[in-house]
Amino acid sequence: MSMSDSDSSSQTGDYKNFRQISRDRLLIEMLRSTKTGDSRSTWKVLIMDKITVKVMSYSCKMADITDEGVSLVEDLYRRRQPLPSMDAIYFIQPSRENVVMLLSDMSGRVPLYKKAYIFFSSPIPKELVGLIKNDTSVLPRIGALREMNLEYFAIDSQGFITDNERAMEELFGENVENSRHYDACLNVMASRIATVFASLRELPYVRYRAVKSLDASTVTTLRDVVPTKLAASVWNCLTKYKSTIPHFPQTETCELLILDRSVDQIAPVIHEWTYDAMCHDLLNMEGNKFVHEVCFPITTLILDVFLVKSGGEPEKKEVLLEDHDPIWLELRHTHIADASERLHDKMTNFVSKNKAAQIQQGGRNGSELSTRDLQKMVQALPQYSEQIDKLSLHVEIAGKINRIIKELELRELGQLEQDLVFGDAGTKEVITFLRTKQLATPENKLRLLMIYSAIYPEKFEADKGSKLMQLARLSHDDMNAVHNMRLLEGSSDTKKNSTGGFSLKFDVQKRKHAARKDRTGEEETWQLSRFYPLIEELVEKVSKGELPKNEYPCMNDPSPTVHGTTQSAPVRNNQVPTAHSMRSKRTATWARPRNSDDGYSSDSILRHASSDFKRMGQRIFVFIVGGATRSELRVCHKLTTKLKREVILGSSSLDDPPQFITKLKMLTQELSLDDLQI
């Protein structure tokens, strides 16, 4: 299949980021390619299933689709009006049910559509191709039959998910050994990951987190081998692509590192203090949708010009916090304190430089407005209205977040969380917090205990955690989330403390005191910006070629490995393998203020968003089984700038803390999908 329209090579032409390539493939390679012959200027119907409609919606806007000649978008499984004079574009998964529906649409004396252009989201089995070929009434009506190999969900310019929302339950659940969902989940995940590389025309070195060899008596479970099995399945798909997709690379062009959620159990539950994370953590948003109340202004006619005054009735309005909003694009990865300061500066600068804002401000102060003033105000009004709406939205959001932070006393909790992670606090401080902060919400106390459990797992062995549970006044259901963290570690819960006796108890605590190391050479810019997800260190090691090969073997490495063990794996730069990679003190460069020369400088952020991608090095992909976090996505953006290599984060899902906790609870109990507030 030709992929000339989506050449992603960083060596030639303008560099396009991950989401831009996904968008171009859907709009240009798929939709635009149907404009041939007598159908060049005719409108078409686009038909998708429940998966492909999500694939499309994450990468393209409805206006983009319309611009490519699509006048109607339909659901494959809904009753549709016959349009025998129009051509149809089918973008569907290659399942038997979908193919049967397609053949039903296009067969018989009077088909639903004039001609069908068929694009499958992933490789189609030979038997389904045969099913289509055997229907002689349909064959002449097929304008195209191709594999797009695009079945992932581009949630960010540098992030995607495979939409396996129940991956944690199906791969790490209590009864996973007897589950029929285990292999099915891994196969779907692998197939969708592989289509990422088909779209970008990349062939990766497939590295994965290996099973930790404990001792001869340790039994390896299915939970332990999730990254290993997924890596093998992905490599199997890629090997087929090498022989079936024209111009697919035959040698490695990038890096892929496959991990599972056990690599960092703190990142999903600790309070992340960036604007993006705080919005999704504290505001009960639905996806990227924020609902707020606005007062629509009353417009009064004075001297043949419009004077806008406030006073309308408040109404609920939905807005999407996405990349098309330049203020969101600029502020999303900044610390909430930095975001609040920048918004204040923007509003001040905007009022000082915008005529309409100045005049309206003067009117509020009681001074008379001259006809000339009114004329200037009206001339500035359209731009003023649009800009003040966007600024006001983010000022409202930031204000709401700061009020919640104050009401819930999150700064004190956040400080304790980070002190725990970096070894500056321990059991005493946790107990003191639980005793004195009776008004802390159950969710926040639960998240604190989950962090404590990740650092001091021995404190929760058997019934040792019951006293803390009673002190925190948490339900048995909540404590399930803490206990189920052991399932993510696989067989590691069978480890025996190597230090053994009571006399070495304090030594054990010293060694396990910190879950991160402060990073050298980097200083904090904002309070509570000390924390960083562990994938930051792993990606930097990938970039330097310093990943320990015995812990992170390569599926397509010439030297064979078995469950991550090698006889002799040369390691560059004299690296010392570290089983528990820790963190280091950093400057939150992502939280440093940027200079702003006007009240709306975010436009330049949007305008030049892709300019930094020119002349980038080879891409680095990180895939986390069991859900990724917004802090990990933020780190990928940061490292892209730092390493001059596009870092792309993939996962089975993108989870905010409440979602992650709900999924942890599901590991040992039956819940319906309705219980997942996603």
Side-chain angles (χ1 to χ4, degrees), residues 121-180:
S121 57
S122 55
I124 179 171
K126 288 183 180 180
E127 58 268 23
L128 294 185
V129 176
L131 196 63
I132 296 171
K133 286 183 176 180
N134 290 337
D135 195 324
T136 54
S137 66
V138 172
L139 271 181
R141 297 167 182 162
I142 295 178
L145 182 65
R146 298 171 60 187
E147 293 174 347
M148 280 300 292
N149 293 317
L150 199 162
E151 200 176 287
Y152 54 86
F153 308 86
I155 57 169
D156 185 84
S157 60
Q158 290 173 231
F160 71 93
I161 58 173
T162 56
D163 204 32
N164 297 100
E165 289 290 351
R166 302 195 78 143
M168 193 183 295
E169 176 190 5
E170 292 171 351
L171 301 177
F172 300 97
E174 194 172 39
N175 299 315
V176 70
E177 302 290 340
N178 303 314
S179 172
R180 57 186 174 84

Side-chain angles (χ1 to χ4, degrees), residues 302-303 305-307 355-356 359-360 368-380:
I302 300 179
L303 299 175
V305 296
F306 288 101
L307 174 63
K355 291 292 182 185
I359 294 169
Q360 191 177 57
E368 291 290 327
L369 295 176
S370 68
T371 304
R372 180 65 176 164
D373 287 338
L374 291 170
Q375 185 182 22
K376 287 180 180 178
M377 182 174 176
V378 172
Q379 289 171 349

Side-chain angles (χ1 to χ4, degrees), residues 488-501:
L488 293 182
E489 286 290 353
S491 58
S492 62
D493 63 336
T494 63
K495 286 186 193 178
K496 301 290 188 295
N497 285 335
S498 59
T499 50

Side-chain angles (χ1 to χ4, degrees), residues 163-365:
D163 204 32
N164 297 100
E165 289 290 351
R166 302 195 78 143
M168 193 183 295
E169 176 190 5
E170 292 171 351
L171 301 177
F172 300 97
E174 194 172 39
N175 299 315
V176 70
E177 302 290 340
N178 303 314
S179 172
R180 57 186 174 84
H181 300 294
Y182 183 92
D183 288 333
C185 179
L186 281 178
N187 290 338
V188 169
M189 203 180 294
S191 174
R192 291 178 180 172
I193 293 170
T195 66
V196 171
F197 297 98
S199 279
L200 272 62
R201 225 191 309 172
E202 297 265 27
L203 179 64
Y205 286 102
V206 182
R207 306 185 193 281
Y208 58 96
R209 192 184 194 207
V211 179
K212 292 189 181 72
S213 298
L214 302 175
D215 54 55
S217 63
T218 303
V219 178
T220 300
T221 68
L222 285 176
R223 298 185 201 95
D224 298 321
V225 296
V226 166
T228 307
K229 281 180 164 289
L230 181 59
S233 296
V234 169
W235 180 244
N236 185 47
C237 293
L238 294 173
T239 302
K240 292 176 182 176
Y241 283 161
K242 288 172 72 174
S243 59
T244 57
I245 297 180
H247 311 298
F248 192 79
Q250 300 300 301
T251 57
E252 288 77 5
T253 61
C254 63
E255 302 271 2
L256 167 63
L257 177 61
I258 295 177
L259 310 167
D260 62 31
R261 194 61 270 170
S262 68
V263 75
D264 188 351
Q265 295 193 52
I266 295 174
V269 291
I270 195 170
H271 283 87
E272 162 81 357
W273 290 80
T274 57
Y275 187 46
D276 179 11
M278 284 271 139
C279 284
H280 288 87
D281 192 358
L282 303 182
L283 299 184
N284 297 318
M285 289 174 56
E286 246 183 76
N288 292 328
K289 186 193 302 178
F290 175 71
V291 180
H292 68 129
E293 285 192 347
V294 292
C295 291
F296 288 99
I298 296 173
T299 307
T300 308
L301 186 66
I302 300 179
L303 299 175
D304 298 325
V305 296
F306 288 101
L307 174 63
V308 176
K309 294 182 178 180
S310 61
E313 289 295 320
E315 294 184 22
K316 287 190 175 181
K317 184 179 179 182
E318 293 181 351
V319 290
L320 292 176
L321 302 180
E322 293 181 335
D323 290 3
H324 64 268
D325 179 347
I327 298 180
W328 173 255
L329 199 63
E330 177 188 348
L331 299 181
R332 60 180 177 168
H333 294 149
T334 62
H335 191 284
I336 182 61
D338 186 17
S340 300
E341 284 187 13
R342 292 199 203 184
L343 285 168
H344 179 269
D345 292 343
K346 283 177 181 294
M347 189 64 83
T348 303
N349 290 339
F350 178 76
V351 170
S352 69
K353 295 185 179 183
N354 188 283
K355 291 292 182 185
Q358 291 170 14
I359 294 169
Q360 191 177 57
Q361 192 70 31
R364 284 180 185 151
N365 294 335

Side-chain angles (χ1 to χ4, degrees), residues 13-70:
D14 289 338
Y15 192 100
K16 292 184 177 180
N17 69 32
F18 167 69
R19 184 185 257 169
Q20 288 171 330
I21 292 170
S22 305
R23 179 179 179 273
D24 285 357
R25 289 205 62 219
L26 291 168
L27 296 178
I28 300 173
E29 189 178 324
M30 185 173 76
L31 299 185
R32 195 175 297 178
S33 69
T34 64
K35 295 181 179 181
T36 56
D38 58 356
S39 70
R40 183 180 298 274
S41 60
T42 58
W43 289 97
K44 294 181 178 62
V45 182
L46 175 60
I47 300 158
M48 296 179 282
D49 59 38
K50 65 179 181 180
I51 294 296
T52 54
V53 74
K54 289 178 69 175
V55 170
M56 180 70 77
S57 64
Y58 274 113
S59 294
C60 308
K61 303 292 182 186
M62 191 63 210
D64 300 329
I65 298 170
T66 304
D67 288 345
E68 295 301 332
V70 173

